Amino acid sequence: MKHWKKIIFVVAVVAGLVAACSGGPTATPEGATGIPQDAAAVAAQRGLTPADITAALKTYTPSGQTDPYIMFASGGQGGQVLVIGVPSMRILRLIGVFSPESWQGYGYGGGGDKVLAEGNVKGKEIKWGDTHHPGLSETKGEYDGQWLFINDKANARVAVIDLRDFETKQIVKNPNAIVDHGGSFVTPDTDYVIEGPQYATPIGWGYAPLSEYKDKYRGVITFWKFDRDKGRIDPKQSFQIELPPYWQDLCDAGKGVSNGWIFCNSFNTEMATGMGVDGKGAPYEAGTTQNDTDYLHIINWKAAEADFKAGKGKDINGISVIPLETAISDKLLYFTPEPKSPHGADVTPGGEYVVVGGKLDPHVTIYSFDKIQKAIAAGPTEKDTFGVPVLKLDDTKEAQVELGLGPLHTVFDDKGYAYTSMFLDSAVARWTLGGPYADKHPEQPWTKVQSLPVQYNIGHIAAAEGDTASPDGQYVVALDKWSIDRFANVGPLMPQNFQLVDISQTGDKMQVLYDMPIGMAEPHYAQIIKADKLKPWQVYPEVGWNPETQSVDPNAVKAGSEKVVRNGKDVEIWMSVIRSHYTPDLVELQKGDHVVWHLTSLERTPDATHGFAIPGYNINLSLEPGESQTIEFDADQDGTFPFYCTEFCSALHLEMTGQMLVKP
Ligand code: RUQ
Ligand code: CUA
């Protein structure tokens, strides 16, 4: 259909549906149990209101059409990343990151095992992660669609995902932190991936009793250097800064005018240590919320980088740590008060302001980077307990906007609005930015415009291109923590609810369009990128591709060169894989053999994926077209083991099998 014809058609359908819903005539007769075939009758039968119909038309994505945006959401305590189309809210992919995923052959014998093993903690295999904040790589403050980083709060690790094949390539374990939280966020050109801390512990894993909390416990923020050419974090070029044992929380990198700085909110400046063994202390939730203010951490990372390069850091567990005294004396670190149990620190698109929510404060507080710089230049007159200079709130604050209960995180659009998740209110608050953003919207600057109810208890909020220097507008997604009654009952462990919100109109016209249940774990944050910025491969570039090195593997198998070579107890196998055959299809082993098995998919057809499962040996691979993988194991069980393909790849998929015979 031509474009204009399409528009007329849509308008006609909507007009018809609206008439139907407001009691107009329904056109098509329907059977008692059947689905009516006329749009108006469908709407009538399903009880859809005109608003429902408009919402449906904004999200419905016909078969075969793709989404203009892709959302990368953390998979929470499932340890993965979810890839979701927006506005259809269809799950497109799950990326195994910190947890093995058998269906994608991640952690079951193939290349992913190595990546997962990098995440071992002091030699101990950790089989899960608590992914919080995905961070897309940026060039000049814009998502560039090349890399995705994500942190594991539970074990203080950061992973690197290559967006050419959407696979995890690296996990780095923070050598000096037990847990983390305020990561991963990138600096505007992805020089560094930031991993902020959370619960303070002695730096470098040492033991110290809680009575020595103030002296021995510390926060540590990590600047992981990202090497784009290698596609890896380079721990040798990375550094850390020692911080007071407040609980640093969310961080964001400055950009534009504030490039070179980062900002982290914090809580527990009370340094509460809980009720203790005698139960006489204040419980954590009370102890950490006594103060009226905590500290926004203002960190000059470019100056810190210069200190690191000048060798001013101390080596602790193989990474350079800039001591707190140096951070103070070299003017790397400043504080300014932030009201009542702060959470979230979000930098505006141009870098002019930092927005901080207060979990127990009805306002968001907006800090001006310009004022912060002036206050620093004027020379701060106050210090915290550790000697960190404290800038007065009145000197750094640009505005406070009263939004309601439980403001947490803030994202931005192209119309000079900010959107804050209201945890206690279960709402998305839209409010106006001032300064250079003031003439983009019709309202007064720094005022609330709308509070849109969502269901329920929203944590993070994500906006289209929201963390870039030029957000798109159109959509935000509310990442609701609770769903209660929004979906059919599936037992007491309920899904999370992602609610898609249309923010394309100015004023108080935000509208919830769609509820998307997330029936696995609790995603925390998400980022939404324009789909056309992603350029993933459909098939690996060449046959024999090793996804770890992103090049052809020296052990790649060509058709006709398949073989089995025995050398004493060492057996090496070169196997090719193509619809619908493994060559060779018989492998004979002796119990006790050490086996190195190379497999190469010769496929060039998109989506012609083969699996490779060996029963009883905990092995399952996913071989995407062109992919080469190597597995290594001891044949420690004798018997007959039919190996087979786990992806339904062709009419003769069930015949895609072979035998591994292990003689006793
Ligand atoms: S947190 S609900 Cu891990 Cu990002 Cu704020
Ligand atoms: Cu190959 Cu099924």
Side-chain angles (χ1 to χ4, degrees):
M1 231 187 286
K2 285 229 181 62
H3 191 59
W4 61 268
K5 275 195 186 161
K6 228 188 218 171
I7 291 171
I8 291 177
F9 173 76
V10 169
V11 169
V13 169
V14 175
L17 292 178
V18 172
C21 295
S22 35
T26 53
T28 310
E30 62 198 70
T33 55
I35 300 173
Q37 295 306 304
D38 172 86
V42 172
Q45 190 199 49
R46 302 192 66 211
L48 301 178
T49 66
D52 294 336
I53 293 159
T54 319
L57 290 173
K58 289 178 187 175
T59 61
Y60 175 68
T61 304
S63 177
Q65 290 193 18
T66 59
D67 287 294
Y69 290 99
I70 301 292
M71 172 162 67
F72 292 92
S74 78
Q77 64 277 60
Q80 325 92 337
V81 164
L82 305 175
V83 185
I84 298 163
V86 177
S88 75
M89 306 307 279
R90 298 178 296 195
I91 294 189
L92 305 174
R93 173 81 197 254
L94 184 148
I95 305 173
V97 185
F98 296 106
S99 316
E101 286 290 336
S102 54
W103 72 275
Q104 51 192 258
Y106 184 67
Y108 294 88
D113 293 36
K114 239 198 214 169
V115 178
L116 286 163
E118 291 175 346
N120 288 356
V121 175
K122 294 200 158 185
K124 188 173 178 60
E125 185 187 6
I126 303 285
K127 285 187 256 176
W128 73 293
D130 186 14
T131 54
H132 273 239
H133 309 102
L136 286 156
S137 61
E138 295 179 13
T139 300
K140 296 197 166 70
E142 302 289 346
Y143 302 148
D144 55 35
Q146 295 179 1
W147 306 94
L148 181 73
F149 309 95
I150 191 150
N151 69 311
D152 164 22
K153 169 171 171 168
N155 305 288
R157 299 181 294 176
V158 171
V160 178
I161 296 161
D162 189 334
L163 294 177
R164 285 174 293 182
D165 60 1
F166 283 53
E167 291 197 353
T168 305
K169 303 299 172 185
Q170 183 184 25
I171 296 175
V172 288
K173 167 70 193 114
N174 191 319
N176 290 324
I178 310 284
V179 293
D180 70 22
H181 187 242
S184 28
F185 297 92
V186 298
T187 52
D189 281 303
T190 320
D191 297 301
Y192 292 97
V193 182
I194 298 157
E195 183 190 13
Q198 181 120 86
Y199 308 121
T201 47
I203 288 186
W205 295 73
Y207 166 81
L210 282 170
S211 56
E212 296 172 15
Y213 186 86
K214 194 184 148 203
D215 292 336
K216 299 273 175 66
Y217 284 59
R218 289 293 177 268
V220 61
I221 184 164
T222 309
F223 294 78
W224 292 110
K225 176 76 185 168
F226 185 61
D227 181 335
R228 269 193 202 250
D229 295 335
K230 296 208 176 82
R232 297 288 187 276
I233 282 170
D234 182 353
K236 291 270 162 287
Q237 301 302 317
S238 305
F239 64 95
Q240 302 184 315
I241 304 174
E242 176 188 351
L243 300 171
Y246 310 144
W247 292 354
Q248 292 80 21
D249 192 22
L250 264 285
C251 304
D252 199 2
K255 50 180 169 270
V257 293
S258 54
N259 188 11
W261 295 73
I262 66 154
F263 310 92
C264 304
N265 78 277
S266 71
F267 58 116
N268 197 17
T269 48
E270 298 85 350
M271 295 188 276
T273 53
M275 295 171 75
V277 272
D278 59 6
K280 290 198 176 132
Y284 275 108
E285 65 273 28
T288 60
T289 50
Q290 296 164 60
N291 290 351
D292 281 337
T293 56
D294 293 283
Y295 292 127
L296 177 67
H297 292 40
I298 302 162
I299 299 171
N300 185 339
W301 70 259
K302 287 223 165 136
E305 181 189 46
D307 266 19
F308 158 61
K309 289 188 170 157
K312 292 196 176 178
K314 269 200 331 225
D315 185 293
I316 305 177
N317 292 326
I319 190 164
S320 173
V321 184
I322 297 173
L324 182 54
E325 313 84 75
T326 313
I328 296 167
S329 62
D330 288 6
K331 302 185 172 14
L332 311 182
L333 176 66
Y334 296 91
F335 289 159
T336 193
E338 34 181 22
K340 212 62 200 168
S341 293
H343 190 57
D346 296 290
V347 176
T348 51
E352 307 86 353
Y353 307 107
V354 186
V355 181
V356 173
K359 288 173 285 191
L360 304 179
D361 185 84
H363 302 91
V364 281
T365 302
I366 298 103
Y367 300 86
S368 149
F369 181 71
D370 187 49
K371 289 187 178 173
I372 288 172
Q373 290 307 308
K374 288 190 175 127
I376 290 173
T381 50
E382 289 167 24
K383 286 183 179 354
D384 87 323
T385 332
F386 295 86
V388 179
V390 180
L391 313 173
K392 290 204 182 76
L393 178 59
D394 282 342
D395 294 342
T396 58
K397 185 181 74 186
E398 178 73 27
Q400 280 184 315
V401 183
E402 186 168 343
L403 295 180
L405 298 179
L408 298 183
H409 301 281
T410 300
V411 292
F412 308 96
D413 71 1
D414 57 343
K415 291 181 279 292
Y417 291 122
Y419 302 81
T420 300
S421 53
M422 308 298 296
F423 182 80
L424 297 174
D425 271 351
S426 289
V428 169
R430 169 186 258 180
W431 51 279
T432 55
L433 295 170
Y437 304 91
D439 44 11
K440 293 192 166 192
H441 48 72
E443 298 91 352
Q444 284 281 96
W446 313 123
T447 36
K448 183 165 93 173
V449 174
Q450 187 185 3
S451 185
L452 175 76
V454 294
Q455 285 82 24
Y456 300 92
N457 297 88
I458 171 175
H460 272 278
I461 180 170
E465 296 269 318
D467 291 317
T468 68
S470 58
D472 271 16
Q474 303 243 48
Y475 304 109
V476 297
V477 174
L479 279 66
D480 303 338
K481 302 288 191 190
W482 292 35
S483 68
I484 308 181
D485 57 357
R486 309 315 286 177
F487 305 109
N489 186 352
V490 289
L493 181 57
M494 298 187 183
Q496 317 293 312
N497 188 8
F498 278 17
Q499 289 190 294
L500 177 70
V501 178
D502 175 0
I503 57 159
S504 57
Q505 307 301 305
T506 53
D508 59 357
K509 307 232 168 38
M510 289 191 291
Q511 183 197 7
V512 172
L513 299 179
Y514 193 71
D515 284 10
M516 177 203 193
I518 302 286
M520 47 189 143
E522 186 206 301
H524 290 259
Y525 189 45
Q527 285 190 331
I528 304 172
I529 182 175
K530 273 198 193 90
D532 61 12
K533 285 188 177 178
L534 297 165
K535 305 263 182 289
W537 295 319
Q538 269 209 317
V539 298
Y540 279 108
E542 290 177 61
V543 168
W545 201 260
N546 178 337
E548 184 196 340
T549 60
Q550 298 288 36
S551 61
V552 173
D553 192 279
N555 280 304
V557 187
K558 291 200 180 68
S561 72
E562 300 89 349
K563 60 185 172 189
V564 178
V565 175
R566 171 175 289 277
N567 191 347
K569 283 198 152 312
D570 292 323
V571 180
E572 193 158 2
I573 302 153
W574 284 265
M575 176 180 267
S576 69
V577 182
I578 192 163
R579 277 163 290 170
S580 303
H581 202 79
Y582 298 106
T583 309
D585 63 8
L586 173 63
V587 170
E588 292 182 309
L589 301 171
Q590 293 280 347
K591 187 174 181 184
D593 282 346
H594 182 72
V595 184
V596 177
W597 195 320
H598 312 287
L599 297 99
T600 299
S601 163
L602 306 178
E603 297 284 357
R604 302 311 288 149
T605 309
D607 208 11
T609 298
H610 299 286
F612 177 73
I614 308 181
Y617 274 84
N618 202 33
I619 284 171
N620 185 42
L621 302 182
S622 170
L623 294 156
E624 282 93 73
E627 183 171 357
S628 189
Q629 289 221 34
T630 295
I631 53 177
E632 194 170 341
F633 62 92
D634 291 318
D636 50 11
Q637 289 186 68
D638 54 55
T640 50
F641 302 91
F643 53 81
Y644 74 97
C645 174
T646 47
E647 279 263 344
F648 210 109
C649 53
S650 69
L652 297 178
H653 151 76
L654 295 177
E655 288 77 0
M656 193 164 175
T657 181
Q659 288 283 357
M660 180 177 89
L661 304 183
V662 186
K663 284 186 210 145

